[in-house]
């Protein structure tokens, strides 16, 4: 490697550091979990130069790290990931609505049970 190559590599590292100011480098698993992007999408993004990555020694050998802030920005720009996130939010909202409905039904059932006359041979305070 000659000096020009080293200088180019150093300038690239400085540029990358400036881009990643305030960004955490995380594993592909963590980036996928935090942004909703699949590992396959992350691999495509770093292989095509859409996001930077680096290999570091991990507990079980080399592992790839990506900057979480840039992955999140790239994921937000993806229409497919945006639709997927919107569907997840809609599903969560529907679950909350259903929970609320179940709570209301339980209250109504308790109210109705409280108004029923006691069964013969059973004290009024005993649950049915």
């Amino acid at each position: 490697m000659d000096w020009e190559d080293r200088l180019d590599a150093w300038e690239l590292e400085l540029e990358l550091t400036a881009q990643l100011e305030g960004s955490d480098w995380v594993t592909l698993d963590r980036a996928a979990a935090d942004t909703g992007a699949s590992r396959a999408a992350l691999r495509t993004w770093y292989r095509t130069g859409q996001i930077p990555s680096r290999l570091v020694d991990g507990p079980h050998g080399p592992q790839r790290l990506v900057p979480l802030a840039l992955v999140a920005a790239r994921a937000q720009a993806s229409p497919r990931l945006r639709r997927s996130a919107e569907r997840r939010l809609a599903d969560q909202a529907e679950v909350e609505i259903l929970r609320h409905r179940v709570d209301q039904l339980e209250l109504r059932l308790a109210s109705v049970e409280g108004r029923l006359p006691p069964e013969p041979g059973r004290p009024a305070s005993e649950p049915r």
Side-chain angles (χ1 to χ4, degrees):
M1 181 186 264
D2 66 351
W3 285 107
E4 287 298 318
D5 291 338
R6 287 185 184 199
L7 184 58
D8 289 342
W10 181 68
E11 287 174 348
L12 183 61
E13 185 75 24
L14 283 177
E15 180 181 321
L16 184 58
T17 302
Q19 274 183 333
L20 302 173
E21 199 64 33
S23 177
D24 293 329
W25 287 87
V26 297
T27 62
L28 294 180
D29 285 336
R30 165 106 186 270
D34 288 359
T35 64
S38 67
R39 287 181 54 128
L42 294 172
R43 281 192 295 274
T44 298
W45 294 348
Y46 72 72
R47 287 177 180 157
T48 59
Q50 297 177 48
I51 59 170
S53 73
R54 62 170 64 153
L55 277 175
V56 297
D57 288 330
H60 305 290
Q63 66 181 9
R64 184 148 319 256
L65 300 180
V66 292
L68 186 57
L70 292 179
V71 171
R74 176 60 184 88
Q76 286 178 339
S78 169
R80 176 187 282 168
L81 288 175
R82 189 171 37 250
R83 283 190 305 271
S84 175
E86 288 169 356
R87 275 193 304 272
R88 276 195 309 273
L89 287 175
D91 290 346
Q92 289 172 354
E94 188 171 345
V95 166
E96 286 303 315
I97 290 169
L98 290 174
R99 280 188 183 139
H100 181 69
R101 285 178 149 174
V102 167
D103 291 343
Q104 288 177 329
L105 288 172
E106 286 176 344
L107 289 172
R108 288 176 62 192
L109 180 61
S111 172
V112 168
E113 285 178 341
R115 286 186 263 155
L116 290 176
E119 294 177 18
R122 181 179 287 179
S125 62
E126 194 176 296
R128 294 184 175 90

